[in-house]
Amino acid sequence: MDDQPRLMHSTHGVGMAGHPGLAQHMQDGTGGADGEGRKQDIGDILQQIMTITDQSLDEAQARKHALNCHRMKPALFNVLCEIKEKTVLSIRGAQEEEPPDAQLMRLDNMLLAEGVSGPEKGGGSAAAAAAAAAAGGGGSDNSVEHSDYRAKLSQIRQIYHTELEKYEQACNEFTTHVMNLLREQSRTRPISPKEIERMVGIIHRKFSSIQMQLKQSTCEAVMILRSRFLDARRKRRNFNKQATEILNEYFYSHLSNPYPSEEAKEELGKKCSITVSQWSKDTKQLSNNLEVSNWFGNKRIRYKKNIGKFQEEANMYAAKTAATATNVSTHGSQANSPSTPNSAGSAGSFNMNSGDLFMSVQSLNGDSYQGAQVGANIQSQVDTLRHVISQTGGYSESLAASQIYSPQGINANGGWQDAPTPSSVTSPTEGPGSVHSDTSN
DNA sequence: GAGGATGATTTAAA
DNA sequence: TTTAAATCATCCTC
């Protein structure tokens, strides 16, 4: 029995310790009568194994059968299995430990958030609502786009789940097939259960990498869909004439400080019916005044750039404002400011800067409006406003120099007089909505 | 189709 | 955060 360890060492460098199969086989008397005979047996078997690939198929089959029937086969097979397990698997096992895939987690989270994976209601519809809100479009347009977005998202979701199911099915089928194959082969090759397990793990990893590609593609599809809906914001629509009129009236009646407050913007938006709830990426809230802000931003910059071009327009709205002011005066104080969101004493109307009214009247007196009709009431208002202005310092004397509009509103630096302090602007007068707009133009 | 008008977006500054 | 300024993209008129 002393020979056995030496023999195993000499062939594979692994001792007999821990190989009960062969040891038992050797000990129970079935292994042969003496040590020399056993050594010969094992040597023969190993020799046959080494040369088996050089033989023809028939020869190999015969040899294989002979080997399978050999009395030493089970013991030797066990030894080979253990050797393989100890050497190859231990090395691989240490190498193949993988941390959880962060990229996969990100993709999973995103798909969940977009409502592609997970329950259909919830994230998906919320994302759809956000995207549709961001896509803009008023009223029915909005809902149409919303449902369109949801339909497309649902399509993506369906494709994703179908493909996922296919991959899972294929993975299971392939795993079963390989397991069966390995089990079959384990009768003739040293394949341990651990190795089968490892192979299954490899297959799963391969399929999971395919799944990751699927998830990546799905995420890209969702991103493209969303960007397409977000791009729809660029599809601008012209505001209708009435809306433009209202905005222009406000602009020209606040020319010295054309910065509507949030309340004024909101009211302007409502009156013009141009406001669409916008999803703010920054605040993660719905904001209502984007169109109005855009309009005033554009108007300010374009007016400033080309005052001459807007002169006529300015005069026209000045005349309107003056006419309104006349109405206000002749109809008494009851017409006074039904809507002054920023004024200290009242709520729910647009502001008119005292300087604006004053400026309007000044310019009317001096220019387009054939002035005397303005009347004593207006003049008294002007006086009052002069007083208020001088008190608040909100209107510089230079503005009183009567030229028409903008040069008065824009200071030497190219900025507006008393520029961005819109919220503090207060003054009572009629809101643009109450001015009779010429909707036919 | 060209060119101007105009609403929307982006970027930088305060 | 708001605004100015530049720019883009689309609409509208001729």
Side-chain angles (χ1 to χ4, degrees):
Chain A
M1 295 301 269
D2 292 336
D3 293 333
Q4 290 161 15
R6 278 204 309 273
L7 170 69
M8 296 313 290
H9 275 296
S10 66
T11 45
H12 295 288
V14 177
M16 285 299 289
H19 300 289
L22 184 57
Q24 191 186 344
H25 189 74
M26 297 298 188
Q27 284 166 352
D28 65 8
T30 58
D34 59 80
E36 274 305 307
R38 285 195 294 272
K39 195 189 283 184
Q40 185 62 42
D41 280 346
I42 293 168
D44 287 347
I45 293 167
L46 292 174
Q47 188 58 38
Q48 287 176 38
I49 292 169
M50 296 298 285
T51 58
I52 202 163
T53 52
D54 300 331
Q55 298 158 354
S56 71
L57 196 60
D58 288 342
E59 276 176 331
Q61 286 291 352
R63 289 272 181 178
K64 197 172 112 182
H65 183 70
L67 279 170
N68 274 333
C69 296
H70 197 280
R71 58 198 168 92
M72 294 291 291
K73 188 254 177 181
L76 189 58
F77 195 82
N78 279 344
V79 170
L80 288 172
C81 280
E82 284 200 33
I83 290 167
K84 190 174 175 188
E85 197 167 300
K86 280 189 175 172
T87 54
V88 181
L89 291 182
S90 62
I91 293 167
R92 283 180 182 165
Q95 288 171 341
E96 287 169 4
E97 286 295 326
E98 284 181 0
D101 196 322
Q103 168 76 359
L104 191 62
M105 278 174 68
R106 273 200 298 275
L107 290 171
D108 280 336
N109 287 340
M110 186 185 158
L111 290 172
L112 200 63
E114 293 295 336
V116 176
S117 62
E120 188 155 14
K121 287 186 176 179
S125 54
S140 59
D141 280 354
N142 200 353
S143 63
V144 166
E145 288 189 3
H146 189 134
S147 63
D148 194 26
Y149 179 89
R150 276 203 301 197
K152 294 236 173 351
L153 192 70
S154 170
Q155 263 185 332
I156 291 173
R157 185 187 159 89
Q158 198 177 347
I159 291 167
Y160 170 75
H161 282 290
T162 309
E163 291 298 309
L164 201 64
E165 207 171 308
K166 269 194 224 167
Y167 284 138
E168 273 165 7
Q169 200 181 342
C171 180
N172 287 338
E173 279 174 13
F174 191 69
T175 304
T176 310
H177 174 75
V178 168
M179 279 173 71
N180 289 338
L181 198 69
L182 289 175
R183 281 199 195 108
E184 179 69 27
Q185 287 194 351
S186 71
R187 288 194 290 185
T188 53
R189 287 204 297 134
I191 299 172
S192 67
K194 254 192 179 175
E195 196 175 358
I196 295 176
E197 202 178 298
R198 186 182 136 262
M199 195 59 80
V200 169
I202 290 171
I203 293 167
H204 282 170
R205 274 197 294 279
K206 290 284 173 200
F207 272 90
S208 96
S209 86
I210 294 171
Q211 271 189 13
M212 194 159 96
Q213 285 174 25
L214 171 68
K215 286 174 181 177
Q216 187 126 28
S217 305
T218 308
C219 282
E220 281 169 15
V222 172
M223 286 294 98
I224 289 166
L225 180 67
R226 289 198 78 165
S227 70
R228 226 187 64 200
F229 272 79
L230 291 172
D231 283 349
R233 282 183 299 173
R234 291 198 78 95
K235 271 192 176 177
R236 68 175 192 79
R237 67 208 197 282
N238 282 348
F239 300 156
N240 63 36
K241 299 227 166 176
Q242 193 172 3
T244 311
E245 194 123 330
I246 290 168
L247 292 167
N248 270 318
E249 278 175 19
Y250 188 95
F251 180 81
Y252 287 111
S253 65
H254 293 74
L255 200 55
S256 69
N257 196 5
Y259 299 87
S261 65
E262 281 304 306
E263 291 84 356
K265 283 182 196 170
E266 197 174 334
E267 191 150 347
L268 280 167
K270 279 181 195 163
K271 282 187 187 295
C272 300
S273 306
I274 58 171
T275 291
V276 174
S277 294
Q278 298 282 338
W279 183 258
S280 165
K281 282 174 283 185
D282 300 326
T283 62
K284 307 279 188 293
Q285 286 178 335
L286 291 174
S287 146
N288 281 320
N289 307 315
L290 197 57
E291 289 86 353
V292 178
S293 297
N294 284 340
W295 190 93
F296 274 89
N298 285 324
K299 189 73 181 181
R300 281 191 298 265
I301 191 74
R302 282 161 189 164
Y303 179 85
K304 208 170 102 174
K305 270 187 176 174
N306 197 348
I307 291 165
K309 197 181 90 180
F310 290 96
Q311 195 69 66
E312 196 179 334
E313 193 176 71
N315 292 344
M316 190 184 83
Y317 284 104
K320 277 190 177 179
T321 306
T324 305
T326 309
N327 275 342
V328 168
S329 305
T330 52
H331 287 92
S333 61
Q334 49 94 21
N336 206 14
S337 185
S339 55
T340 50
N342 286 331
S343 67
S346 59
S349 73
F350 297 119
N351 299 323
M352 179 176 255
N353 189 319
S354 45
D356 297 321
L357 179 57
F358 174 63
M359 190 166 61
S360 299
V361 175
Q362 286 281 324
S363 52
L364 293 173
N365 284 338
D367 193 25
S368 57
Y369 193 74
Q370 298 306 315
Q373 302 94 321
V374 171
N377 284 335
I378 287 291
Q379 191 55 54
S380 92
Q381 279 190 357
V382 169
D383 291 340
T384 310
L385 289 170
R386 258 193 220 276
H387 177 70
V388 171
I389 291 156
S390 66
Q391 296 271 311
T392 58
Y395 184 70
S396 69
E397 275 302 312
S398 63
L399 285 179
S402 68
Q403 290 174 14
I404 292 181
Y405 285 123
S406 122
Q408 304 160 334
I410 298 170
N411 63 25
N413 297 326
W416 301 88
Q417 298 285 353
D418 299 332
T421 52
S423 299
S424 63
V425 174
T426 61
S427 82
T429 192
E430 217 177 20
S434 61
V435 174
H436 302 293
S437 301
D438 181 8
T439 55
S440 65
N441 58 348

